[in-house]
Amino acid sequence: MKHKQYKMAILAFDGISAFHLSVPCLVFQDMFIDEYQPFEVSICSISGKSLKNSSGFTLQTKEQLEALSGADIVIVPSWPSDVPLAPAHLLQALVEAHQRGALLVGLCLGAFVLAEAGLLNGQTATTHWAYSQVFQRRFPNVLFDSEPLFIEHEQIVTSAGVAAALDCCLHLLRRFVGNEVAADLARKMVTAPFRSGGQQQYIPLPLPDKPLGETSFSKVMEQVEQQLNLPIKIDEVAARCAMSRRTFTRHFKAMFGCTFGEWLLNQRLKLSQTLLETSTTSIALVAEQSGFGSQSAYRKHFKQAFNVSPTQWRQTFSG
């Protein structure tokens, strides 16, 4: 049986990360070791000359941007970390590819290039969470969402950073050649065919710095940090600081930039993350040792904060 073959152009630029470039090459080309080759993959140089990747290796490419004219799928696998403006000839080539019906994929910071070409205006898109503010400032007409690992539209796909590019490529594999092939290839790569959750589970909790000095306030807060497993009420903490609740609330907000309740919740979530990653303690006991009172309350707060369950977190991050 003869299978349809899709032409794919993967863009490379001077200083590209070897990992970012290798992910689509691995998924769409290298893992197909038998006669079945659903993708004809070309590496296209943006500058039209030999390139060096971020590790100093020299890359020689046969194709230049002209190869985009015949591609069914165009992938921008990344972009430099200082996210410079893309050259005009690249933006024009992407617009023309989109106009004739090609699927355009911006992996990680590659989403910046698609947005600069105006192809994401009015659409939802994502990129690496650490670049959320930069992306939103530069492209206010794009509906930005920092949570998903990838976002798919009919002709545009964007993904979060680094490893999420692999999730996105496996999803595209399912889209073009079916779930069975994608699942089999994921097994060969010893990776999950589909990863639950989103970027939120990888974003560090916003825990503010501890207040400086040896004041009674700072000493009480250190004691609270060491007793997160115990019931903690703001009135009692305020009294230990020799303050009224109102004064304590105002002072705490000035010192930490958040409410006492927000701080306490994040401290307990952080403690629970450590317990999940470093022990085999049951979820119920993790909830108790983190001060959540009940397993159901703990699961609810954890899901709201990270969009995955405590069990999924442990499976992802435990040693």
Side-chain angles (χ1 to χ4, degrees):
M1 178 180 178
K2 188 175 181 179
H3 297 275
K4 178 177 174 61
Q5 190 174 54
Y6 302 92
K7 291 186 177 181
M8 175 180 292
I10 303 174
L11 300 180
F13 54 85
D14 211 35
I16 190 172
S17 158
F19 178 85
H20 285 115
L21 182 59
S22 65
V23 166
C25 292
L26 176 69
V27 174
F28 298 111
Q29 179 173 263
D30 297 350
M31 291 305 298
F32 290 95
I33 56 179
D34 53 21
E35 295 181 358
Y36 179 38
Q37 294 287 339
F39 302 96
E40 180 185 331
V41 178
S42 298
I43 308 297
C44 305
S45 171
I46 292 175
S47 57
K49 58 183 180 181
S50 63
L51 309 169
K52 283 189 177 181
N53 68 13
S54 59
S55 300
F57 299 115
T58 300
L59 303 173
Q60 296 290 339
T61 61
K62 295 181 180 180
E63 303 288 351
Q64 298 181 19
L65 286 182
E66 289 77 9
L68 270 63
S69 62
D72 302 300
I73 307 165
V74 178
I75 296 181
V76 187
S78 183
W79 200 238
S81 57
D82 58 349
V83 288
L85 298 178
H89 67 287
L90 170 59
L91 299 178
Q92 182 60 34
L94 292 172
V95 170
E96 292 175 355
H98 183 264
Q99 288 174 342
R100 61 175 178 75
L103 172 69
L104 271 59
V105 182
L107 301 176
C108 194
L109 299 185
F112 276 80
V113 182
L114 300 188
E116 191 178 340
L119 300 173
L120 299 180
N121 289 342
Q123 298 202 59
T124 309
T126 193
T127 190
H128 193 293
W129 62 264
Y131 288 78
S132 298
Q133 294 183 358
V134 176
F135 189 96
Q136 292 175 83
R137 284 197 304 266
R138 189 181 294 186
F139 309 112
N141 293 327
V142 180
L143 306 176
F144 186 76
D145 188 349
S146 64
E147 169 57 18
L149 295 176
F150 57 85
I151 295 176
E152 178 185 33
H153 299 287
E154 184 177 357
Q155 268 190 266
I156 296 283
V157 181
T158 54
S159 87
V162 195
L166 182 58
D167 297 287
C168 182
C169 288
L170 286 172
H171 173 74
L172 292 175
L173 199 63
R174 289 192 292 272
R175 170 171 167 172
F176 284 96
V177 297
N179 186 67
E180 184 177 350
V181 174
D184 180 64
L185 188 143
R187 283 193 293 270
K188 291 177 181 177
M189 293 193 297
V190 198
T191 189
F194 179 80
R195 207 155 41 117
S196 60
Q199 293 195 73
Q200 197 167 348
Q201 58 187 304
Y202 303 98
I203 302 174
L205 279 170
L207 297 180
D209 295 332
K210 297 178 182 178
L212 300 176
E214 291 297 322
T215 64
S216 59
F217 177 85
S218 65
K219 290 180 179 179
V220 170
M221 293 312 300
E222 288 180 2
Q223 293 171 0
V224 171
E225 283 189 64
Q226 297 168 5
Q227 300 170 339
L228 294 173
N229 61 311
L230 301 177
I232 298 173
K233 296 182 179 180
I234 186 172
D235 290 324
E236 295 175 356
V237 177
R240 287 161 61 184
C241 294
M243 297 179 184
S244 67
R245 175 171 178 156
R246 183 175 181 180
T247 301
F248 174 80
T249 299
R250 184 172 60 251
H251 186 68
F252 191 94
K253 186 69 177 287
M255 294 293 291
F256 286 93
C258 62
T259 68
F260 177 74
E262 291 168 341
W263 176 87
L264 182 60
L265 175 60
N266 282 346
Q267 290 287 345
R268 283 172 163 165
L269 286 171
K270 185 64 176 178
L271 173 59
S272 78
Q273 288 175 324
T274 301
L275 293 172
L276 291 171
E277 295 168 15
T278 60
S279 74
T280 57
T281 302
S282 69
I283 302 300
L285 192 53
V286 168
E288 179 182 335
Q289 293 177 346
S290 304
F292 281 93
S294 71
Q295 185 177 169
S296 60
Y298 170 54
R299 290 183 181 276
K300 176 184 176 181
H301 285 297
F302 199 94
K303 182 74 172 180
Q304 287 177 340
F306 307 110
N307 203 31
V308 293
S309 68
T311 300
Q312 290 171 319
W313 182 277
R314 170 171 277 168
Q315 291 171 344
T316 302
F317 293 102
S318 68

